[in-house]
Amino acid sequence: MTASTLSLPRHSPTGDLRLLWLGAALLALGLLSIAALSLGARATGGAEIWGALTNYDPDNADHIVVRNMRLPRLIGAGLAGAALGMSGALIQAMTRNPLADPGLLGINGGAALGVVLCILVLGVTDPAEFIWVALGGGLAASVLVFLLGGGSQANPLRLILAGAAVSALFLALTRALLLVSRQTLDVYRFWVLGGFDGIQPATLQSLLPFLILGALLAIIAGFGLNALMLGEDTAKGLGVRTGLTRLTAGAAIVLLCGATVAMAGPIAFAGLIVPHIARWAAGPAIGWSLAFSAMFGALLLIAADLLGRLALFGGNMQAGVMTALIGGPVLIWLVRRNGVRKL
Amino acid sequence: MRFARRGSGWRTPLMACAAPLAALVLGLLPLPGSADPFPAVIDHRYGTTTVPAKPTRIVSLSFIGHDFLLALGERPYALRKWYGSDPYGVWPWGHDALGEAQPVVMRGEVDIERIAAMEPDLIAAQWSGITAQQYALLSQIAPTLPPRAEDGDYGTPWQQMLLRLGTATGKRTTAEAIVTRIEGRFAELRASHPEWQGASAMMAWAGHTRAYTRADIRGQFLTALGFSVPDAPGGPNALNRFYVEFPAEDPSAMDVDALIWLDTGRNVEKLARMPLRHTTRAYREGREIYADKLLSAALSHSSPLSLDYALDQLVPLLEAATDGDPATVVSSTANAGLLAKEGS
């Protein structure tokens, strides 16, 4: 992997091209948001959307649908997508592994175990009550992965091994618990697919501080990671405190991804593919890569949630399922056309 | 018929004795038409099962089947627990029939090795979801009773559940008597409630827009009272015959004359904040019924034991919900704090 830094990327987007991409992505985000607010089982026109946002009438069914159902979903999907995109870009840069996924740090496994224990022991069946156990489980598991992976001295390989081992262990424990209780399985299987169905504005509010803190840490870590991608020794030579950079990046990933898991369940695919699309558009510099990952992640998940809502009449294909269905072909097309961008 | 051949050495003479013995015992009972119930032959989705003699060691794989066996006076040797807090997997309506018996409780997936070790002589598996492959293995252990093809995994009507178990346990006459009595109770209720005939009703899971169809035992319960259970828009869902998902953004098709919310007791809050509930006629006119944990379980079991409990509890609630006067309070809905507020 270290040799990769010596080979020049096949194309290096210039500033103008980046701004073009940025504008296009923002435009797409705007159009998609309008679509997400107006499409669904109930046809809603522009006047009703405007009314719901500016002059909300709690007895108007159209207003309720737009304000209490579609808007929280839109915001939730946008935030989750941005968070997953950013944490994906960070972990791929930190481990210098293009196949790394934020779930690798044990966050998904820990959250799943927390949720199953919560259903089994406390009998909770309402996903709105899962957020703190999911967040706590994810945080606990990722701390364990960091400790096993060597803490601030972690080398990429050891971190990945520790993450895979802890994830597998937690998944096995989760499955063992699920075997005991059929009812737990029923609640769990909807959570584990990942989605924004019935998301609560209060949930979004309580998770927002975690997301903001995570995004700030991600930007701070970005400076060090740029140097770290040149190799451990070069980075040290440039005066970067590599251990601190890794810890900051790790904390950012855990906060961003943990809050997302708590909000919507594990959405596996987005954190893996979005950074690839972002690097293709923005080049390898971590700052641009983070910004583009956030935007493409939001685009992907809003589209996934919207299509999932429209795919089955009346039914609901979970966004976590749709990300793979949309993102997969995009990734394949990108790889076939351009090859995987080096890290 | 592999199980009939499998008796190696000692088992064959035992079986040879068992049949006449069972015939002798049954002959002493004053049951009309029970002259020669064994071997009992029962058709089902995977073929035909022959029960050679009266079973004494019954393993029930059905999530609700033990209620039916208990109604027939048969205490299962082992049963598969569905849910609930009872250590033996039996809800309060079955406690008297269970008595002091302490059946082996199985949970989760069907463990064929464990079942083989129990040496059962009947495996009751309607409403169990066993596959053809599992049936092939289980039927080598003992006569196994899956559902009829037309009923599917979880759609067997309670009458069929009971009559088929009655045949398998040599208690067909008892089963027929129970069916006649409970069907009579439904008929009386239909006669005394003309307002229910043809009115729409639905059972849904609290806090979701997921409702049970006519094919489900809960839908069958409403149909038996004379209600009609509407289809989802776009017709029955091909993926699942037993429940349909209505669009959360447009649940108007769920706005029926009597809407029954089933719950484990933990979804009241979710139901209270359900976005479009407040715009429905069922809410405004007080046509919603909140079924608590026990009533929901009784409806979900729909067994000869639980049906009586369910009718005792639900009929007064249904009367309050369907009297056409929004001022009449449905007590269970009021107790859960789910009634429409004054003026809204």
Side-chain angles (χ1 to χ4, degrees), chain A residues 10 329-340:
Chain A
R10 280 211 301 215
V330 173
L331 183 65
I332 291 169
W333 176 75
L334 270 178
V335 170
R336 304 234 351 138
R337 194 153 173 263
N338 305 293
V340 175

Side-chain angles (χ1 to χ4, degrees), chain A residues 77-139:
Chain A
L79 287 176
L84 285 177
M86 285 176 95
S87 53
L90 283 180
I91 189 147
Q92 287 178 9
M94 187 165 85
T95 58
R96 271 173 282 150
N97 183 338
L99 292 179
D101 177 278
L104 199 71
L105 291 185
I107 297 164
N108 293 347
L113 186 60
V115 165
V116 165
L117 277 174
C118 177
I119 305 170
L120 199 63
V121 178
L122 302 176
V124 172
T125 56
D126 185 352
E129 295 175 38
F130 292 159
I131 61 164
W132 300 118
V133 278
L135 193 60
L139 295 184

Side-chain angles (χ1 to χ4, degrees), chain B residues 22-220:
Chain B
L24 186 72
V25 172
L26 284 163
L28 298 173
L29 295 173
L31 292 178
S34 63
D36 189 17
F38 290 105
V41 180
I42 305 163
D43 289 332
H44 51 74
R45 70 193 298 186
Y46 301 130
T48 305
T49 289
T50 305
V51 186
K54 169 142 184 67
T56 52
R57 213 169 157 89
I58 304 171
V59 168
S60 171
L61 295 185
S62 163
F63 291 104
I64 57 174
H66 45 266
D67 263 20
F68 291 76
L69 288 166
L70 289 170
L72 292 169
E74 299 287 328
R75 291 171 182 159
Y77 172 76
L79 60 80
R80 191 164 170 204
K81 181 172 175 169
W82 190 12
Y83 72 108
S85 51
D86 188 280
Y88 297 109
V90 175
W91 288 75
W93 46 81
H95 282 170
D96 284 346
L98 185 68
E100 298 299 307
Q102 301 186 339
V104 177
V105 174
M106 298 176 287
R107 305 188 74 171
E109 292 304 307
V110 173
D111 184 346
I112 293 180
E113 236 179 280
R114 191 173 167 209
I115 294 163
M118 291 176 189
E119 300 195 353
D121 48 19
L122 177 68
I123 299 173
Q126 308 180 82
W127 236 82
S128 71
I130 61 162
T131 61
Q133 203 185 2
Q134 284 171 320
Y135 170 76
L137 286 170
L138 287 168
S139 60
Q140 293 178 50
I141 298 169
T144 302
L145 182 58
R148 298 186 303 179
E150 62 263 44
D151 296 328
D153 281 334
Y154 303 109
T156 308
W158 63 269
Q159 295 94 327
Q160 280 301 318
M161 289 276 296
L162 189 69
L163 290 173
R164 290 156 65 76
L165 283 171
T167 307
T169 56
K171 296 219 168 142
R172 177 81 186 188
T173 322
T174 316
E176 281 166 0
I178 296 173
V179 169
T180 309
R181 181 184 70 75
I182 298 179
E183 281 189 339
R185 196 171 170 193
F186 275 105
E188 272 171 37
L189 285 166
R190 276 198 303 275
S192 58
H193 294 86
E195 75 276 16
W196 291 352
Q197 309 314 307
S200 57
M202 206 177 261
M203 294 201 203
W205 198 242
H208 297 270
T209 46
R210 210 178 295 147
Y212 294 102
T213 63
R214 255 168 285 162
D216 185 86
I217 51 173
R218 283 147 285 210
Q220 291 168 16

Side-chain angles (χ1 to χ4, degrees), chain A residues 39-42 58-62 64-65 68-70 122-129 179-183 189-190 197-198 200 309 312-316, chain B residues 63 80-84 107-109 154 205 208-210 233-234 239 243 245-252 263-264 266-267 269-270 273 275-276 278-279 344:
Chain A
L39 298 178
R42 177 190 290 267
D59 288 328
N60 182 328
D62 287 323
I64 297 173
V65 166
N68 285 348
M69 301 174 79
R70 291 182 192 162
L122 302 176
V124 172
T125 56
D126 185 352
E129 295 175 38
L179 265 182
V180 182
S181 165
R182 189 184 153 82
Q183 268 222 312
R189 71 195 167 98
F190 283 101
D197 192 16
Q200 297 298 306
R309 234 160 10 102
L312 295 175
F313 181 83
N316 214 329
Chain B
F63 291 104
R80 191 164 170 204
K81 181 172 175 169
W82 190 12
Y83 72 108
R107 305 188 74 171
E109 292 304 307
Y154 303 109
W205 198 242
H208 297 270
T209 46
R210 210 178 295 147
L239 294 176
Y243 72 81
E245 181 98 35
F246 290 86
E249 293 186 351
D250 184 17
S252 50
D263 191 12
T264 50
R266 294 190 176 271
N267 283 319
E269 238 177 275
K270 195 170 176 190
R273 63 160 194 258
L276 288 175
H278 300 258
T279 66
S344 67

Side-chain angles (χ1 to χ4, degrees), chain A residues 46-313:
Chain A
E48 283 136 2
I49 296 174
W50 186 249
L53 297 179
T54 56
N55 187 20
Y56 178 63
D57 170 9
D59 288 328
N60 182 328
D62 287 323
H63 285 194
I64 297 173
V65 166
V66 172
R67 179 80 165 249
N68 285 348
M69 301 174 79
R70 291 182 192 162
L71 189 63
R73 288 183 83 132
L74 172 67
I75 297 174
L79 287 176
L84 285 177
M86 285 176 95
S87 53
L90 283 180
I91 189 147
Q92 287 178 9
M94 187 165 85
T95 58
R96 271 173 282 150
N97 183 338
L99 292 179
D101 177 278
L104 199 71
L105 291 185
I107 297 164
N108 293 347
L113 186 60
V115 165
V116 165
L117 277 174
C118 177
I119 305 170
L120 199 63
V121 178
L122 302 176
V124 172
T125 56
D126 185 352
E129 295 175 38
F130 292 159
I131 61 164
W132 300 118
V133 278
L135 193 60
L139 295 184
S142 52
V143 168
L144 188 62
V145 169
F146 268 108
L147 292 179
L148 289 174
S152 62
Q153 304 309 311
N155 72 48
L157 189 62
R158 200 170 151 191
L159 198 62
I160 286 173
L161 282 176
V166 169
S167 290
L169 173 70
F170 277 43
L171 195 64
L173 288 173
T174 304
R175 286 187 176 155
L177 289 174
L178 283 174
L179 265 182
V180 182
S181 165
R182 189 184 153 82
Q183 268 222 312
T184 305
L185 182 63
D186 278 348
V187 182
Y188 173 81
R189 71 195 167 98
F190 283 101
W191 176 82
V192 79
L193 288 177
F196 303 92
D197 192 16
I199 195 161
Q200 297 298 306
T203 308
L204 292 176
Q205 247 169 30
S206 45
L207 291 173
L208 202 58
F210 294 92
L211 292 169
I212 292 173
L213 185 63
L216 286 176
L217 288 178
I219 294 165
I220 295 169
F223 293 108
L225 279 178
N226 257 339
L228 204 59
M229 279 158 71
L230 301 172
E232 183 86 27
D233 296 335
T234 318
K236 278 187 177 146
L238 288 169
V240 171
R241 296 169 69 185
T242 55
L244 191 65
T245 298
R246 286 208 181 89
L247 272 187
T248 315
I253 295 165
V254 168
L255 284 171
L256 289 170
C257 192
T260 307
V261 175
M263 182 199 306
I267 296 176
F269 204 57
L272 174 68
I273 63 149
V274 164
H276 290 274
I277 304 172
R279 274 193 296 275
W280 179 74
I286 191 79
W288 282 105
S289 160
L290 277 175
F292 273 78
S293 291
M295 248 179 357
F296 288 155
L299 272 175
L300 174 65
L301 280 204
I302 292 172
D305 185 52
L306 178 63
L307 289 179
R309 234 160 10 102
L310 303 178
L312 295 175
F313 181 83

